[in-house]
Amino acid sequence: MPASFPDLKPFFSPKSAALVGASADLRKFGGRCLKQLVDFGYEGRIYPVNPKADTILGMPCYPDIASLPEAPDHVGIVVPGKAIPGVLKQCGDRGVRHVTIFSSGFSEGGSADGAAFQAEIVALAREHGIRLMGPNCNGLINYVDGFALTSTATINGPRAPKGDVAVLGHSGGLAQVNVMYRAQQAGLGISYQVSCGNDADLDILDYAAFMVDDPDTRVILMLAETIRDGGKLRALSDRARAAGKPIVMMKLGRSEEGMQAAVSHTGALASSDSVADEVLRQLGILRVDDCHEMIDVAMMLRTGRRLGGRGLAAVSISGGNLVHLADQGPMHGLAFPDFGSATKTRMAELIPNYGQASNPADVTSAAIGSPEIFAGVLETIAQDPAVDVILPVLTLHSAELIRGTAQALLASPKPCAVIWSGNCTDDDTLTHAELVRMGLPVFRDIAPAMQVIDAAARYAELAQAARPVVAPVKPVQGLDTLPGQPDEADAKAFLAANGFDVPRGLVAETAADAGPLADRLGGAVAVKILSAEIGHKTELGGVQLNLNGATASAAAEEMGARIREAAPDLELRGFLIEEMAAPGVEMILGLSRDPVFGMVLTVGLGGIMAELLEDVAHRLLPVSEDEALSMLRQLRGWPLLDGHRGRAPADVSALVRTITTLSDLGMGSDGRIETLDLNPVIVGEAGQGATVCDALVVRSR
């Protein structure tokens, strides 16, 4: 069922607001919160609530919600925890629909009592039709309409002009100071800021959906300590993509509850954080590593100019800076294409003879006294079809040159950025932040600029990527009759019924049966111990390869004796006798259930090296043929499939079909499979197919 998002306009822009626990004492949270609401210039009706005061800050104060002259659109609550249920009930009885609980003492402490109390207030809110922010939060700031329900000192003084960047976080300090405050110092304007705490009811994705729909917001920055609903995140990303609004996320924390299925290779490889990294990329959400990078990326993306490629054109009077730039660009997948003949002809007319009409372009010190040269070069290279991003590198310059550069860039339809390592030599008011306020991304150093342009290129690539078409779910065969704890023979039969290529095999109940069954199969065979209690047979010496009818029984006898001695309580069904697969590249394919994102498909190099190398790719279901091929090309081991050093290419088409068949199985299993390992899948040469040589199925409980 598609995720839905609530209408939060009355939450962010209420016509009236009350604060329960308001105080005139600025040493108290309720005092600071009320003072900020007033000082921020909120033009709606304000109702302080505190039974111990008649007036606060010159406003009438009311003893409780019931005594207010109207039902406020938004109520903030700053009272001890034990009083919160009563206040919520009053809000519900009065018809209040939006509440923010600042108080702490809930699930954030990690105690069972705190979690139970949080569940109690959420249930009470839902019973009364209330949508709830928090608890344990620091509220919200709305620069668009002038409403702030928060205690933060970052908004002290005159209210900053509204901007086009929204900042969302669970934390108050990290989101409000490290990102919002520093972004404003850098010249960015903020539309909304949310510090949402525990996300007990409304969550960070609900607020983000409001920002996606908001006409004043162009970029959404999210500092997410947790994402609880992968399906909801996918719905949000689709909505943001349709609106053309980038979401930039700093995903905090590494879940320890991720995939801890010790018996499953796929589970071990699919840690929650590694899955999150690739899922965010799949959904077109840019993941960044720190607050500084987040602010820099916002500077680049808020312009709305999307990169059409990775070709940079750089201009400077500093040859050393250009050499440094030429070194750094390729490290981030960026190139400096040759200018076209028309560009070179025009630049030769502009640049003195001792300059070079090449890319990067050194306009030499002659441009210091001739700002028109610098601006003319920028206007010229903007016309070159090979150029995707224009990048002047400034050091110490006059206001005339800097402003001329800014005007030339703002007039260009192409994405641009400025690297400005120095300052203005004749106007102290012309600063880096001033250029940002004009609408230009400005960087002090070359390496961060390259990192951000790479991120902007990745966003453009992700935004243009085709979304998978969700075809009708195919029915899964044999799932109802699959044992609760399948062994390999059960798993192989199940896979074969669903379109996978598995070796011919027979079950030997005793070691003596192994030889005759091997003769029946003919050729070389593998003998494997068969038990639903064994996840990794090779670790117990439970697999022997390249046997025949003359050697299979003896091998099975020795194998069984050794395993019975090592694990006398192990329940053995017998032995699986299988024909040997043709040699090829060993891969691992698997499904695992991520606690946030649901069923995830993993592809990587297989065999015993799977967990050692961790050369894997993850995707949410469904996985199309194009996406499957993209996963394979993402692997460091892709050359092994593509004919490395003259080897014959592997049957990639068959492997892609196996991946999509696995995706279909995951989509149709209806939550009844927890993990499924295909390891190894041996991929033969082109035309020889992809054979599932070992399989492990773990049913959901």
Side-chain angles (χ1 to χ4, degrees):
M1 182 176 178
S4 60
F5 296 95
D7 175 14
L8 294 182
K9 183 65 176 176
F11 174 89
F12 280 102
S13 185
K15 294 179 180 178
S16 58
L19 182 64
V20 180
S23 173
D25 188 349
L26 297 184
R27 294 171 298 178
K28 295 182 178 180
F29 192 99
R32 296 192 300 275
C33 202
L34 182 63
K35 184 74 162 50
Q36 295 294 40
L37 176 61
V38 172
D39 289 351
F40 201 69
Y42 174 56
E43 296 180 353
R45 297 176 293 280
I46 301 175
Y47 300 114
V49 176
N50 189 328
K52 298 180 181 179
D54 295 325
T55 62
I56 298 178
L57 300 182
M59 295 178 288
C61 186
Y62 299 86
D64 50 34
I65 294 292
S67 61
L68 296 179
E70 63 175 314
D73 291 328
H74 195 148
V75 173
I77 300 177
V78 189
V79 297
K82 63 182 180 181
I84 289 175
V87 175
L88 275 180
K89 188 175 185 307
Q90 285 186 32
C91 287
D93 291 343
R94 192 62 198 273
V96 173
R97 291 295 171 257
H98 296 98
V99 166
T100 292
I101 298 179
F102 295 95
S103 312
S104 59
F106 298 89
S107 65
E108 74 277 0
S111 71
D113 288 345
F117 188 31
Q118 180 166 302
E120 176 188 336
I121 65 167
V122 170
L124 187 60
R126 289 176 178 166
E127 178 186 341
H128 289 85
I130 296 171
R131 297 313 307 262
L132 178 69
M133 173 191 262
N136 183 42
C137 69
N138 203 22
L140 68 101
I141 307 166
N142 176 353
Y143 285 94
V144 175
D145 302 305
F147 175 65
L149 193 60
T150 180
S151 70
T152 180
T154 58
I155 59 173
N156 286 351
R159 187 169 86 214
K162 74 174 183 178
D164 50 23
V165 177
V167 180
L168 313 175
H170 291 99
S171 162
L174 191 65
Q176 291 178 330
V177 180
N178 296 46
V179 176
M180 183 191 78
Y181 178 70
R182 287 172 54 192
Q184 290 172 321
Q185 286 184 315
L188 289 174
I190 304 300
S191 55
Y192 301 88
Q193 194 282 319
V194 168
S195 297
C196 53
N198 291 9
D199 274 2
D201 175 33
L202 293 170
D203 64 27
I204 197 168
L205 304 182
D206 291 316
Y207 310 119
F210 173 83
M211 312 307 177
V212 168
D213 293 340
D214 174 62
D216 292 288
T217 300
R218 291 186 175 183
V219 179
I220 299 154
L221 307 182
M222 297 178 64
L223 298 100
E225 296 178 23
T226 182
I227 298 292
R228 294 191 175 92
D229 188 336
K232 194 172 180 180
L233 180 65
R234 181 173 231 162
L236 174 67
S237 73
D238 288 341
R239 195 163 176 164
R241 184 181 184 183
K245 294 190 179 182
I247 297 176
V248 183
M249 182 181 292
M250 202 167 111
K251 176 69 173 64
L252 304 170
R254 297 181 180 272
S255 172
E256 295 181 359
E257 65 180 10
M259 296 292 94
Q260 297 298 327
V263 328
S264 165
H265 281 296
T266 303
L269 290 167
S271 73
S272 185
D273 193 66
S274 65
V275 168
D277 199 48
E278 297 211 35
V279 165
L280 293 178
R281 180 166 58 245
Q282 183 182 358
L283 296 181
I285 296 172
L286 272 180
R287 189 177 189 182
V288 297
D289 294 323
D290 59 47
C291 297
H292 187 81
E293 182 186 2
M294 175 172 271
I295 294 168
D296 284 350
V297 169
M299 280 197 302
M300 191 76 190
L301 295 182
R302 67 181 281 266
T303 66
R305 300 176 182 177
R306 301 293 174 248
L307 273 65
R310 291 175 166 267
L312 306 186
V315 181
S316 182
I317 66 165
S318 170
N321 269 291
L322 294 178
V323 172
H324 183 26
L325 188 63
D327 287 342
Q328 286 284 324
M331 295 170 59
H332 296 275
L334 305 172
F336 296 90
D338 288 338
F339 293 131
S341 58
T343 303
K344 290 181 178 180
T345 299
R346 175 60 180 147
M347 288 178 67
E349 298 170 356
L350 291 167
I351 302 174
N353 292 333
Y354 50 85
Q356 293 182 355
S358 60
N359 187 17
D362 185 354
V363 297
T364 74
S365 58
I368 294 177
S370 304
E372 69 277 3
I373 293 178
F374 212 84
V377 168
L378 292 173
E379 292 167 359
T380 298
I381 63 178
Q383 307 303 316
D384 196 307
V387 173
D388 299 303
V389 184
I390 307 167
L391 187 64
V393 183
L394 306 179
T395 53
L396 296 168
H397 297 285
S398 67
E400 184 181 9
L401 185 143
I402 294 168
R403 292 189 190 280
T405 297
Q407 290 167 5
L409 295 176
L410 291 171
S412 170
K414 289 188 176 178
C416 56
V418 179
I419 298 174
W420 185 9
S421 59
N423 57 23
C424 181
T425 58
D426 56 2
D427 184 353
D428 291 341
T429 66
L430 183 53
T431 63
H432 301 76
E434 179 62 24
L435 292 192
V436 174
R437 281 189 282 271
M438 291 181 189
L440 294 173
V442 182
F443 305 94
R444 280 286 197 177
D445 298 297
I446 287 172
M450 297 298 95
Q451 182 182 33
V452 169
I453 293 172
D454 172 37
R458 283 188 282 116
Y459 172 74
E461 292 158 2
L462 293 169
Q464 294 166 6
R467 287 291 201 243
V469 176
V470 180
V473 176
K474 298 179 181 179
V476 175
Q477 305 299 320
L479 191 53
D480 292 334
T481 57
L482 188 66
Q485 192 173 3
D487 59 27
E488 184 181 351
D490 299 324
K492 292 277 185 66
F494 171 64
L495 292 172
N498 286 282
F500 293 85
D501 184 8
V502 301
R504 289 191 306 138
L506 299 168
V507 174
E509 295 183 1
T510 67
D513 296 332
L517 293 181
D519 283 333
R520 188 190 304 178
L521 290 173
V525 299
V527 175
K528 305 177 184 181
I529 199 74
L530 195 56
S531 172
E533 298 176 14
I534 299 177
H536 304 310
K537 294 179 285 294
T538 54
E539 295 176 6
L540 290 175
V543 178
Q544 290 199 36
L545 307 177
N546 292 309
L547 302 173
N548 55 37
T551 57
S553 289
E557 183 66 41
E558 185 274 332
M559 181 190 302
R562 184 174 63 254
I563 291 176
R564 288 187 184 93
E565 182 178 354
D569 296 330
L570 198 66
E571 183 177 341
L572 302 179
R573 177 179 169 187
F575 305 90
L576 179 60
I577 317 301
E578 284 188 329
E579 62 182 358
M580 291 290 298
V585 180
E586 292 192 2
M587 303 292 294
I588 180 172
L589 278 60
L591 297 172
S592 56
R593 188 169 301 284
D594 183 87
V596 172
F597 300 109
M599 195 62 86
V600 173
L601 193 148
T602 298
V603 172
L605 291 181
I608 62 173
M609 303 297 285
E611 290 176 30
L612 178 64
L613 297 179
E614 294 188 4
D615 185 16
V616 294
H618 308 291
R619 295 291 189 276
L620 293 179
L621 304 182
V623 176
S624 66
E625 289 191 358
D626 287 344
E627 193 68 37
L629 184 57
S630 172
M631 295 177 77
L632 297 175
R633 291 182 181 277
Q634 178 183 328
L635 302 175
R636 297 190 303 275
W638 163 251
L640 296 175
L641 294 166
D642 198 35
H644 182 59
R645 291 195 173 183
R647 296 181 182 178
D651 198 339
V652 173
S653 297
L655 179 56
V656 164
R657 288 194 298 272
T658 304
I659 294 170
T660 57
T661 302
L662 183 60
S663 172
D664 290 342
L665 191 151
M667 290 289 291
S669 64
D670 195 27
R672 290 181 284 174
I673 292 177
E674 190 67 19
T675 61
L676 194 158
D677 277 359
L678 312 181
N679 182 31
V681 176
I682 297 183
V683 188
E685 295 180 6
Q688 294 183 350
T691 305
V692 179
C693 293
D694 198 357
L696 172 70
V697 179
V698 178
R699 299 290 305 272
S700 299
R701 296 179 180 176

